[in-house]
mmCIF file with all atom_site columns, all heavy atoms in Angstrom:
data_model
loop_
_atom_site.group_PDB
_atom_site.id
_atom_site.type_symbol
_atom_site.label_atom_id
_atom_site.label_alt_id
_atom_site.label_comp_id
_atom_site.label_asym_id
_atom_site.label_entity_id
_atom_site.label_seq_id
_atom_site.pdbx_PDB_ins_code
_atom_site.Cartn_x
_atom_site.Cartn_y
_atom_site.Cartn_z
_atom_site.occupancy
_atom_site.B_iso_or_equiv
_atom_site.pdbx_formal_charge
_atom_site.auth_seq_id
_atom_site.auth_comp_id
_atom_site.auth_asym_id
_atom_site.auth_atom_id
_atom_site.pdbx_PDB_model_num
ATOM 1   N N   . GLY Q 1 1  ? 0.808  -1.214 0.000   1.00 0.00 ? 1  GLY Q N   1
ATOM 2   C CA  . GLY Q 1 1  ? 0.000  0.000  0.000   1.00 0.00 ? 1  GLY Q CA  1
ATOM 3   C C   . GLY Q 1 1  ? 0.839  1.260  0.000   1.00 0.00 ? 1  GLY Q C   1
ATOM 4   O O   . GLY Q 1 1  ? 0.541  2.221  -0.716  1.00 0.00 ? 1  GLY Q O   1
ATOM 5   N N   . ALA Q 1 2  ? 1.916  1.276  0.780   1.00 0.00 ? 2  ALA Q N   1
ATOM 6   C CA  . ALA Q 1 2  ? 2.801  2.444  0.808   1.00 0.00 ? 2  ALA Q CA  1
ATOM 7   C C   . ALA Q 1 2  ? 3.512  2.611  -0.524  1.00 0.00 ? 2  ALA Q C   1
ATOM 8   O O   . ALA Q 1 2  ? 3.683  3.737  -1.014  1.00 0.00 ? 2  ALA Q O   1
ATOM 9   C CB  . ALA Q 1 2  ? 3.801  2.306  1.941   1.00 0.00 ? 2  ALA Q CB  1
ATOM 10  N N   . THR Q 1 3  ? 3.907  1.501  -1.136  1.00 0.00 ? 3  THR Q N   1
ATOM 11  C CA  . THR Q 1 3  ? 4.555  1.564  -2.445  1.00 0.00 ? 3  THR Q CA  1
ATOM 12  C C   . THR Q 1 3  ? 3.586  2.073  -3.493  1.00 0.00 ? 3  THR Q C   1
ATOM 13  O O   . THR Q 1 3  ? 3.943  2.903  -4.338  1.00 0.00 ? 3  THR Q O   1
ATOM 14  C CB  . THR Q 1 3  ? 5.084  0.175  -2.840  1.00 0.00 ? 3  THR Q CB  1
ATOM 15  O OG1 . THR Q 1 3  ? 5.981  -0.271 -1.826  1.00 0.00 ? 3  THR Q OG1 1
ATOM 16  C CG2 . THR Q 1 3  ? 5.787  0.213  -4.173  1.00 0.00 ? 3  THR Q CG2 1
ATOM 17  N N   . LEU Q 1 4  ? 2.362  1.610  -3.461  1.00 0.00 ? 4  LEU Q N   1
ATOM 18  C CA  . LEU Q 1 4  ? 1.343  2.082  -4.391  1.00 0.00 ? 4  LEU Q CA  1
ATOM 19  C C   . LEU Q 1 4  ? 1.110  3.577  -4.241  1.00 0.00 ? 4  LEU Q C   1
ATOM 20  O O   . LEU Q 1 4  ? 0.983  4.298  -5.227  1.00 0.00 ? 4  LEU Q O   1
ATOM 21  C CB  . LEU Q 1 4  ? 0.032  1.319  -4.170  1.00 0.00 ? 4  LEU Q CB  1
ATOM 22  C CG  . LEU Q 1 4  ? -1.141 1.725  -5.048  1.00 0.00 ? 4  LEU Q CG  1
ATOM 23  C CD1 . LEU Q 1 4  ? -0.845 1.379  -6.503  1.00 0.00 ? 4  LEU Q CD1 1
ATOM 24  C CD2 . LEU Q 1 4  ? -2.400 1.043  -4.581  1.00 0.00 ? 4  LEU Q CD2 1
ATOM 25  N N   . SER Q 1 5  ? 1.098  4.050  -3.025  1.00 0.00 ? 5  SER Q N   1
ATOM 26  C CA  . SER Q 1 5  ? 0.917  5.476  -2.783  1.00 0.00 ? 5  SER Q CA  1
ATOM 27  C C   . SER Q 1 5  ? 2.059  6.280  -3.375  1.00 0.00 ? 5  SER Q C   1
ATOM 28  O O   . SER Q 1 5  ? 1.845  7.349  -3.947  1.00 0.00 ? 5  SER Q O   1
ATOM 29  C CB  . SER Q 1 5  ? 0.810  5.740  -1.282  1.00 0.00 ? 5  SER Q CB  1
ATOM 30  O OG  . SER Q 1 5  ? 0.779  7.126  -1.033  1.00 0.00 ? 5  SER Q OG  1
ATOM 31  N N   . GLU Q 1 6  ? 3.290  5.790  -3.236  1.00 0.00 ? 6  GLU Q N   1
ATOM 32  C CA  . GLU Q 1 6  ? 4.448  6.494  -3.803  1.00 0.00 ? 6  GLU Q CA  1
ATOM 33  C C   . GLU Q 1 6  ? 4.374  6.508  -5.326  1.00 0.00 ? 6  GLU Q C   1
ATOM 34  O O   . GLU Q 1 6  ? 4.690  7.510  -5.955  1.00 0.00 ? 6  GLU Q O   1
ATOM 35  C CB  . GLU Q 1 6  ? 5.752  5.844  -3.356  1.00 0.00 ? 6  GLU Q CB  1
ATOM 36  C CG  . GLU Q 1 6  ? 6.144  6.184  -1.961  1.00 0.00 ? 6  GLU Q CG  1
ATOM 37  C CD  . GLU Q 1 6  ? 6.422  7.662  -1.776  1.00 0.00 ? 6  GLU Q CD  1
ATOM 38  O OE1 . GLU Q 1 6  ? 7.064  8.285  -2.644  1.00 0.00 ? 6  GLU Q OE1 1
ATOM 39  O OE2 . GLU Q 1 6  ? 5.961  8.195  -0.762  1.00 0.00 ? 6  GLU Q OE2 1
ATOM 40  N N   . LEU Q 1 7  ? 3.970  5.404  -5.925  1.00 0.00 ? 7  LEU Q N   1
ATOM 41  C CA  . LEU Q 1 7  ? 3.850  5.358  -7.380  1.00 0.00 ? 7  LEU Q CA  1
ATOM 42  C C   . LEU Q 1 7  ? 2.740  6.277  -7.868  1.00 0.00 ? 7  LEU Q C   1
ATOM 43  O O   . LEU Q 1 7  ? 2.861  6.904  -8.920  1.00 0.00 ? 7  LEU Q O   1
ATOM 44  C CB  . LEU Q 1 7  ? 3.593  3.929  -7.842  1.00 0.00 ? 7  LEU Q CB  1
ATOM 45  C CG  . LEU Q 1 7  ? 4.743  2.954  -7.640  1.00 0.00 ? 7  LEU Q CG  1
ATOM 46  C CD1 . LEU Q 1 7  ? 4.313  1.551  -8.032  1.00 0.00 ? 7  LEU Q CD1 1
ATOM 47  C CD2 . LEU Q 1 7  ? 5.953  3.384  -8.447  1.00 0.00 ? 7  LEU Q CD2 1
ATOM 48  N N   . LYS Q 1 8  ? 1.680  6.363  -7.101  1.00 0.00 ? 8  LYS Q N   1
ATOM 49  C CA  . LYS Q 1 8  ? 0.550  7.207  -7.480  1.00 0.00 ? 8  LYS Q CA  1
ATOM 50  C C   . LYS Q 1 8  ? 0.905  8.684  -7.416  1.00 0.00 ? 8  LYS Q C   1
ATOM 51  O O   . LYS Q 1 8  ? 0.422  9.479  -8.208  1.00 0.00 ? 8  LYS Q O   1
ATOM 52  C CB  . LYS Q 1 8  ? -0.623 6.919  -6.548  1.00 0.00 ? 8  LYS Q CB  1
ATOM 53  C CG  . LYS Q 1 8  ? -1.861 7.691  -6.905  1.00 0.00 ? 8  LYS Q CG  1
ATOM 54  C CD  . LYS Q 1 8  ? -2.984 7.389  -5.953  1.00 0.00 ? 8  LYS Q CD  1
ATOM 55  C CE  . LYS Q 1 8  ? -4.138 8.307  -6.270  1.00 0.00 ? 8  LYS Q CE  1
ATOM 56  N NZ  . LYS Q 1 8  ? -4.983 8.529  -5.145  1.00 0.00 ? 8  LYS Q NZ  1
ATOM 57  N N   . SER Q 1 9  ? 1.792  9.042  -6.483  1.00 0.00 ? 9  SER Q N   1
ATOM 58  C CA  . SER Q 1 9  ? 2.134  10.453 -6.335  1.00 0.00 ? 9  SER Q CA  1
ATOM 59  C C   . SER Q 1 9  ? 2.990  10.954 -7.483  1.00 0.00 ? 9  SER Q C   1
ATOM 60  O O   . SER Q 1 9  ? 3.124  12.152 -7.669  1.00 0.00 ? 9  SER Q O   1
ATOM 61  C CB  . SER Q 1 9  ? 2.835  10.692 -4.997  1.00 0.00 ? 9  SER Q CB  1
ATOM 62  O OG  . SER Q 1 9  ? 4.093  10.062 -4.986  1.00 0.00 ? 9  SER Q OG  1
ATOM 63  N N   . GLY Q 1 10 ? 3.587  10.079 -8.265  1.00 0.00 ? 10 GLY Q N   1
ATOM 64  C CA  . GLY Q 1 10 ? 4.334  10.476 -9.448  1.00 0.00 ? 10 GLY Q CA  1
ATOM 65  C C   . GLY Q 1 10 ? 5.651  11.148 -9.129  1.00 0.00 ? 10 GLY Q C   1
ATOM 66  O O   . GLY Q 1 10 ? 6.332  10.789 -8.176  1.00 0.00 ? 10 GLY Q O   1
ATOM 67  N N   . ALA Q 1 11 ? 6.007  12.150 -9.937  1.00 0.00 ? 11 ALA Q N   1
ATOM 68  C CA  . ALA Q 1 11 ? 7.307  12.810 -9.819  1.00 0.00 ? 11 ALA Q CA  1
ATOM 69  C C   . ALA Q 1 11 ? 7.416  13.645 -8.554  1.00 0.00 ? 11 ALA Q C   1
ATOM 70  O O   . ALA Q 1 11 ? 8.502  14.025 -8.159  1.00 0.00 ? 11 ALA Q O   1
ATOM 71  C CB  . ALA Q 1 11 ? 7.560  13.680 -11.029 1.00 0.00 ? 11 ALA Q CB  1
ATOM 72  N N   . GLY Q 1 12 ? 6.319  13.942 -7.899  1.00 0.00 ? 12 GLY Q N   1
ATOM 73  C CA  . GLY Q 1 12 ? 6.373  14.719 -6.672  1.00 0.00 ? 12 GLY Q CA  1
ATOM 74  C C   . GLY Q 1 12 ? 6.688  13.880 -5.462  1.00 0.00 ? 12 GLY Q C   1
ATOM 75  O O   . GLY Q 1 12 ? 6.663  14.357 -4.349  1.00 0.00 ? 12 GLY Q O   1
ATOM 76  N N   . GLY Q 1 13 ? 7.012  12.616 -5.668  1.00 0.00 ? 13 GLY Q N   1
ATOM 77  C CA  . GLY Q 1 13 ? 7.286  11.704 -4.566  1.00 0.00 ? 13 GLY Q CA  1
ATOM 78  C C   . GLY Q 1 13 ? 8.668  11.884 -3.985  1.00 0.00 ? 13 GLY Q C   1
ATOM 79  O O   . GLY Q 1 13 ? 9.299  12.930 -4.094  1.00 0.00 ? 13 GLY Q O   1
ATOM 80  N N   . VAL Q 1 14 ? 9.181  10.856 -3.395  1.00 0.00 ? 14 VAL Q N   1
ATOM 81  C CA  . VAL Q 1 14 ? 10.453 10.888 -2.688  1.00 0.00 ? 14 VAL Q CA  1
ATOM 82  C C   . VAL Q 1 14 ? 11.620 11.210 -3.620  1.00 0.00 ? 14 VAL Q C   1
ATOM 83  O O   . VAL Q 1 14 ? 12.548 11.910 -3.258  1.00 0.00 ? 14 VAL Q O   1
ATOM 84  C CB  . VAL Q 1 14 ? 10.697 9.531  -1.985  1.00 0.00 ? 14 VAL Q CB  1
ATOM 85  C CG1 . VAL Q 1 14 ? 12.081 9.475  -1.371  1.00 0.00 ? 14 VAL Q CG1 1
ATOM 86  C CG2 . VAL Q 1 14 ? 9.637  9.303  -0.936  1.00 0.00 ? 14 VAL Q CG2 1
ATOM 87  N N   . PHE Q 1 15 ? 11.585 10.744 -4.854  1.00 0.00 ? 15 PHE Q N   1
ATOM 88  C CA  . PHE Q 1 15 ? 12.717 10.860 -5.750  1.00 0.00 ? 15 PHE Q CA  1
ATOM 89  C C   . PHE Q 1 15 ? 12.642 12.067 -6.679  1.00 0.00 ? 15 PHE Q C   1
ATOM 90  O O   . PHE Q 1 15 ? 13.345 12.113 -7.686  1.00 0.00 ? 15 PHE Q O   1
ATOM 91  C CB  . PHE Q 1 15 ? 12.853 9.583  -6.586  1.00 0.00 ? 15 PHE Q CB  1
ATOM 92  C CG  . PHE Q 1 15 ? 13.041 8.372  -5.733  1.00 0.00 ? 15 PHE Q CG  1
ATOM 93  C CD1 . PHE Q 1 15 ? 12.039 7.432  -5.607  1.00 0.00 ? 15 PHE Q CD1 1
ATOM 94  C CD2 . PHE Q 1 15 ? 14.207 8.185  -5.026  1.00 0.00 ? 15 PHE Q CD2 1
ATOM 95  C CE1 . PHE Q 1 15 ? 12.205 6.320  -4.810  1.00 0.00 ? 15 PHE Q CE1 1
ATOM 96  C CE2 . PHE Q 1 15 ? 14.386 7.077  -4.222  1.00 0.00 ? 15 PHE Q CE2 1
ATOM 97  C CZ  . PHE Q 1 15 ? 13.382 6.142  -4.112  1.00 0.00 ? 15 PHE Q CZ  1
ATOM 98  N N   . ALA Q 1 16 ? 11.822 13.042 -6.378  1.00 0.00 ? 16 ALA Q N   1
ATOM 99  C CA  . ALA Q 1 16 ? 11.743 14.242 -7.210  1.00 0.00 ? 16 ALA Q CA  1
ATOM 100 C C   . ALA Q 1 16 ? 13.056 15.010 -7.107  1.00 0.00 ? 16 ALA Q C   1
ATOM 101 O O   . ALA Q 1 16 ? 13.618 15.174 -6.044  1.00 0.00 ? 16 ALA Q O   1
ATOM 102 C CB  . ALA Q 1 16 ? 10.584 15.116 -6.753  1.00 0.00 ? 16 ALA Q CB  1
ATOM 103 N N   . ASP Q 1 17 ? 13.540 15.511 -8.255  1.00 0.00 ? 17 ASP Q N   1
ATOM 104 C CA  . ASP Q 1 17 ? 14.826 16.197 -8.247  1.00 0.00 ? 17 ASP Q CA  1
ATOM 105 C C   . ASP Q 1 17 ? 14.684 17.716 -8.166  1.00 0.00 ? 17 ASP Q C   1
ATOM 106 O O   . ASP Q 1 17 ? 15.673 18.420 -8.028  1.00 0.00 ? 17 ASP Q O   1
ATOM 107 C CB  . ASP Q 1 17 ? 15.652 15.811 -9.476  1.00 0.00 ? 17 ASP Q CB  1
ATOM 108 C CG  . ASP Q 1 17 ? 14.951 16.141 -10.777 1.00 0.00 ? 17 ASP Q CG  1
ATOM 109 O OD1 . ASP Q 1 17 ? 13.825 16.646 -10.744 1.00 0.00 ? 17 ASP Q OD1 1
ATOM 110 O OD2 . ASP Q 1 17 ? 15.558 15.892 -11.841 1.00 0.00 ? 17 ASP Q OD2 1
ATOM 111 N N   . GLY Q 1 18 ? 13.507 18.238 -8.304  1.00 0.00 ? 18 GLY Q N   1
ATOM 112 C CA  . GLY Q 1 18 ? 13.299 19.672 -8.150  1.00 0.00 ? 18 GLY Q CA  1
ATOM 113 C C   . GLY Q 1 18 ? 13.557 20.466 -9.410  1.00 0.00 ? 18 GLY Q C   1
ATOM 114 O O   . GLY Q 1 18 ? 13.498 21.686 -9.400  1.00 0.00 ? 18 GLY Q O   1
ATOM 115 N N   . ASN Q 1 19 ? 13.832 19.850 -10.542 1.00 0.00 ? 19 ASN Q N   1
ATOM 116 C CA  . ASN Q 1 19 ? 14.094 20.558 -11.787 1.00 0.00 ? 19 ASN Q CA  1
ATOM 117 C C   . ASN Q 1 19 ? 12.862 20.647 -12.673 1.00 0.00 ? 19 ASN Q C   1
ATOM 118 O O   . ASN Q 1 19 ? 12.982 20.841 -13.863 1.00 0.00 ? 19 ASN Q O   1
ATOM 119 C CB  . ASN Q 1 19 ? 15.225 19.867 -12.558 1.00 0.00 ? 19 ASN Q CB  1
ATOM 120 C CG  . ASN Q 1 19 ? 16.548 20.008 -11.861 1.00 0.00 ? 19 ASN Q CG  1
ATOM 121 O OD1 . ASN Q 1 19 ? 16.762 20.986 -11.146 1.00 0.00 ? 19 ASN Q OD1 1
ATOM 122 N ND2 . ASN Q 1 19 ? 17.431 19.053 -12.075 1.00 0.00 ? 19 ASN Q ND2 1
ATOM 123 N N   . GLU Q 1 20 ? 11.706 20.511 -12.102 1.00 0.00 ? 20 GLU Q N   1
ATOM 124 C CA  . GLU Q 1 20 ? 10.479 20.538 -12.890 1.00 0.00 ? 20 GLU Q CA  1
ATOM 125 C C   . GLU Q 1 20 ? 10.218 21.915 -13.483 1.00 0.00 ? 20 GLU Q C   1
ATOM 126 O O   . GLU Q 1 20 ? 9.683  22.042 -14.558 1.00 0.00 ? 20 GLU Q O   1
ATOM 127 C CB  . GLU Q 1 20 ? 9.291  20.113 -12.031 1.00 0.00 ? 20 GLU Q CB  1
ATOM 128 C CG  . GLU Q 1 20 ? 9.391  18.681 -11.568 1.00 0.00 ? 20 GLU Q CG  1
ATOM 129 C CD  . GLU Q 1 20 ? 8.278  18.326 -10.605 1.00 0.00 ? 20 GLU Q CD  1
ATOM 130 O OE1 . GLU Q 1 20 ? 7.414  19.170 -10.357 1.00 0.00 ? 20 GLU Q OE1 1
ATOM 131 O OE2 . GLU Q 1 20 ? 8.289  17.207 -10.099 1.00 0.00 ? 20 GLU Q OE2 1
ATOM 132 N N   . ASP Q 1 21 ? 10.615 22.989 -12.796 1.00 0.00 ? 21 ASP Q N   1
ATOM 133 C CA  . ASP Q 1 21 ? 10.368 24.339 -13.287 1.00 0.00 ? 21 ASP Q CA  1
ATOM 134 C C   . ASP Q 1 21 ? 11.126 24.615 -14.574 1.00 0.00 ? 21 ASP Q C   1
ATOM 135 O O   . ASP Q 1 21 ? 10.633 25.285 -15.466 1.00 0.00 ? 21 ASP Q O   1
ATOM 136 C CB  . ASP Q 1 21 ? 10.761 25.373 -12.221 1.00 0.00 ? 21 ASP Q CB  1
ATOM 137 C CG  . ASP Q 1 21 ? 9.875  25.289 -10.992 1.00 0.00 ? 21 ASP Q CG  1
ATOM 138 O OD1 . ASP Q 1 21 ? 8.736  24.800 -11.137 1.00 0.00 ? 21 ASP Q OD1 1
ATOM 139 O OD2 . ASP Q 1 21 ? 10.315 25.709 -9.911  1.00 0.00 ? 21 ASP Q OD2 1
ATOM 140 N N   . GLU Q 1 22 ? 12.346 24.089 -14.700 1.00 0.00 ? 22 GLU Q N   1
ATOM 141 C CA  . GLU Q 1 22 ? 13.134 24.302 -15.901 1.00 0.00 ? 22 GLU Q CA  1
ATOM 142 C C   . GLU Q 1 22 ? 12.476 23.651 -17.110 1.00 0.00 ? 22 GLU Q C   1
ATOM 143 O O   . GLU Q 1 22 ? 12.434 24.222 -18.183 1.00 0.00 ? 22 GLU Q O   1
ATOM 144 C CB  . GLU Q 1 22 ? 14.540 23.750 -15.705 1.00 0.00 ? 22 GLU Q CB  1
ATOM 145 C CG  . GLU Q 1 22 ? 15.334 24.505 -14.655 1.00 0.00 ? 22 GLU Q CG  1
ATOM 146 C CD  . GLU Q 1 22 ? 16.676 23.853 -14.385 1.00 0.00 ? 22 GLU Q CD  1
ATOM 147 O OE1 . GLU Q 1 22 ? 17.022 22.873 -15.086 1.00 0.00 ? 22 GLU Q OE1 1
ATOM 148 O OE2 . GLU Q 1 22 ? 17.369 24.319 -13.469 1.00 0.00 ? 22 GLU Q OE2 1
ATOM 149 N N   . ALA Q 1 23 ? 11.967 22.452 -16.949 1.00 0.00 ? 23 ALA Q N   1
ATOM 150 C CA  . ALA Q 1 23 ? 11.317 21.764 -18.062 1.00 0.00 ? 23 ALA Q CA  1
ATOM 151 C C   . ALA Q 1 23 ? 10.035 22.471 -18.460 1.00 0.00 ? 23 ALA Q C   1
ATOM 152 O O   . ALA Q 1 23 ? 9.731  22.590 -19.637 1.00 0.00 ? 23 ALA Q O   1
ATOM 153 C CB  . ALA Q 1 23 ? 11.019 20.310 -17.698 1.00 0.00 ? 23 ALA Q CB  1
ATOM 154 N N   . ASP Q 1 24 ? 9.273  22.958 -17.504 1.00 0.00 ? 24 ASP Q N   1
ATOM 155 C CA  . ASP Q 1 24 ? 8.047  23.661 -17.823 1.00 0.00 ? 24 ASP Q CA  1
ATOM 156 C C   . ASP Q 1 24 ? 8.328  24.958 -18.565 1.00 0.00 ? 24 ASP Q C   1
ATOM 157 O O   . ASP Q 1 24 ? 7.604  25.338 -19.469 1.00 0.00 ? 24 ASP Q O   1
ATOM 158 C CB  . ASP Q 1 24 ? 7.242  23.961 -16.548 1.00 0.00 ? 24 ASP Q CB  1
ATOM 159 C CG  . ASP Q 1 24 ? 6.668  22.694 -15.926 1.00 0.00 ? 24 ASP Q CG  1
ATOM 160 O OD1 . ASP Q 1 24 ? 6.549  21.698 -16.673 1.00 0.00 ? 24 ASP Q OD1 1
ATOM 161 O OD2 . ASP Q 1 24 ? 6.356  22.716 -14.728 1.00 0.00 ? 24 ASP Q OD2 1
#
């Protein structure tokens, strides 16, 4: 269940690198 929640959250999860603004 915890793994499913992390997968559902997408790029905003634990492994987000914070470079989303540059791509946008």
Side-chain angles (χ1 to χ4, degrees):
T3 303
L4 179 66
S5 174
E6 283 297 318
L7 293 175
K8 183 181 174 205
S9 67
V14 174
F15 301 109
D17 59 359
N19 292 332
E20 295 174 3
D21 294 336
E22 294 174 5
D24 291 339

